[in-house]
């Protein structure tokens, strides 16, 4: 009976992790191309504030994360043109502020049991069947939208001003991309947590960049490398009783390091 239960939660964890990896790879490729890693980190940290607000208002956690992520993205866009500070400075302030306010808000919830470590570092082994369904439904929506946005996003990435001249709706495409990031962050919270979500998106994409010759190849390779990281991380967690979320990211970083060594060996 215990083995059957073990098999059940491991299968749910594996399916959920693979679902996120397939979606995070292509999105992470755009984050790497557009040098948006710090922006993605700020959104990921804001997810904790979204969870805190959703718990306080007795609202759906996923909706809370998405709303706060979108609100932060719009606020950052507005402030970057009005405040005489570098973009990375503004992003750093907002990332740490959202994390701090989220942690403070959660600390006041004495009457509510909150798994803080799970929110921060993920708890993939506690994934339910509903979580898996949500990941695949949300992931399918994200991938379908990304297919539609692929060419406009590439045009903006290569040359934004030229994309404007060619009548690409830059602002709408940007907003749609941020919405996709918010959905993936909300879905990935249970797998790697708020502090490690960005790593799951950018590390496989950075690894794939060493081997891909086209944007499409990089997106597919990033998804495959992310899937390998999930399988390797879960295996390490089960074998050595290590935290599941950090183990997934550790395997992803190991693959990245191996890719650098392989590239230097063949150079």
């Amino acid at each position: 009976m215990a083995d059957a239960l073990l098999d059940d939660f491991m299968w749910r964890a594996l399916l959920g992790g693979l679902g996120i990896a397939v979606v995070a790879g292509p999105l992470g490729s755009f984050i790497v191309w557009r040098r948006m890693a710090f922006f993605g980190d700020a959104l990921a940290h804001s997810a904790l504030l979204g969870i805190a607000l959703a718990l306080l208002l007795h609202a759906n956690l996923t909706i809370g994360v998405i709303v706060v992520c979108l609100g932060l993205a719009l606020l950052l866009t507005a402030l970057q043109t009005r405040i005489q500070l570098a973009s990375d400075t503004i992003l750093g302030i907002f990332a740490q502020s959202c994390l701090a306010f989220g942690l403070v808000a959660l600390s006041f919830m004495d009457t509510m049991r909150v798994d803080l470590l799970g929110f921060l570092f993920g708890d993939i082994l506690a994934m339910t069947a509903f979580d898996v369904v949500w990941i695949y439904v949300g992931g399918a929506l994200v991938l379908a939208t990304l297919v539609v946005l692929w060419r406009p996003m590439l045009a903006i990435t290569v040359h934004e001003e030229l994309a404007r001249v060619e009548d690409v709706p830059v602002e709408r495409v940007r907003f749609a991309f941020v919405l996709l990031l918010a959905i993936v962050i909300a879905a990935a919270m249970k797998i790697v947590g708020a502090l490690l979500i960005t790593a799951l998106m950018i590390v496989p994409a950075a690894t794939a960049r060493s081997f891909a010759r086209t944007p499409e190849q990089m997106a597919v390779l990033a998804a495959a490398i992310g899937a390998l990281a999930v399988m390797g991380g879960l295996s390490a967690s089960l074998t050595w009783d290590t935290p599941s979320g950090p183990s997934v990211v550790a395997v992803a970083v190991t693959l990245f390091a191996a890719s650098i060594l392989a590239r230097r060996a063949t150079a």
Side-chain angles (χ1 to χ4, degrees):
M1 183 67 177
D3 290 340
L5 290 174
L6 179 65
D7 290 343
D8 285 345
F9 80 71
M10 282 302 296
W11 276 112
R12 286 195 297 269
L14 179 61
L15 289 173
L18 292 178
I20 287 295
V22 169
V23 180
L27 281 178
S29 298
F30 277 109
I31 292 176
V32 170
W33 292 329
R34 294 178 59 80
R35 299 178 182 179
M36 293 174 63
F38 214 174
F39 180 80
D41 209 35
L43 284 186
H45 285 185
S46 73
L48 193 66
L49 179 59
I51 286 174
L53 292 176
L55 289 173
L56 284 172
L57 299 173
H58 303 287
N60 181 273
L61 297 185
T62 299
I63 294 176
V65 171
I66 292 174
V67 169
V68 171
C69 285
L70 287 178
L72 177 67
L74 293 174
L75 185 59
L76 285 171
T77 302
L79 288 178
Q80 282 175 342
T81 60
R82 291 173 172 82
I83 295 181
Q84 300 301 316
L85 286 174
S87 295
D88 60 343
T89 302
I90 297 174
L91 288 171
I93 291 171
F94 270 86
Q96 304 311 317
S97 299
C98 287
L99 184 61
F101 280 115
L103 290 171
V104 169
L106 289 174
S107 70
F108 283 108
M109 298 179 189
D110 295 330
T111 60
M112 191 178 300
R113 187 171 179 269
V114 178
D115 182 10
L116 184 57
L117 286 179
F119 288 140
L120 291 175
F121 301 108
D123 190 6
I124 190 173
L125 299 181
M127 188 166 292
T128 65
F130 177 80
D131 293 328
V132 176
V133 172
W134 150 239
I135 285 172
Y136 277 86
V137 171
L141 176 63
V142 169
L143 286 177
T145 307
L146 192 58
V147 168
V148 175
L149 294 178
W150 187 261
R151 290 300 171 188
M153 279 296 301
L154 281 179
I156 295 171
T157 301
V158 173
H159 199 299
E160 185 173 312
E161 294 305 318
L162 183 59
R164 290 182 187 274
V165 172
E166 294 177 348
D167 294 327
V168 174
V170 174
E171 301 305 327
R172 280 185 288 174
V173 171
R174 274 182 179 169
F175 180 79
F177 181 67
V178 172
L179 176 60
L180 298 184
L181 282 178
I183 293 173
V184 171
I185 287 170
M189 281 287 292
K190 202 155 194 175
I191 294 176
V192 290
L195 297 184
L196 301 174
I197 290 173
T198 313
L200 187 61
M201 288 193 282
I202 65 173
V203 176
T207 306
R209 194 171 192 175
S210 301
F211 306 102
R213 296 184 177 180
T214 67
E216 291 77 13
Q217 283 184 3
M218 181 168 163
V220 172
L221 276 174
I225 292 168
L228 283 175
V230 168
M231 290 187 287
L234 282 176
S235 178
S237 178
L238 187 63
T239 303
W240 295 301
D241 194 26
T242 56
S244 53
S247 296
V248 170
V249 175
V251 172
V253 173
T254 301
L255 293 174
F256 173 69
S259 73
I260 293 177
L261 294 175
R263 190 173 183 180
R264 288 186 176 180
T266 57

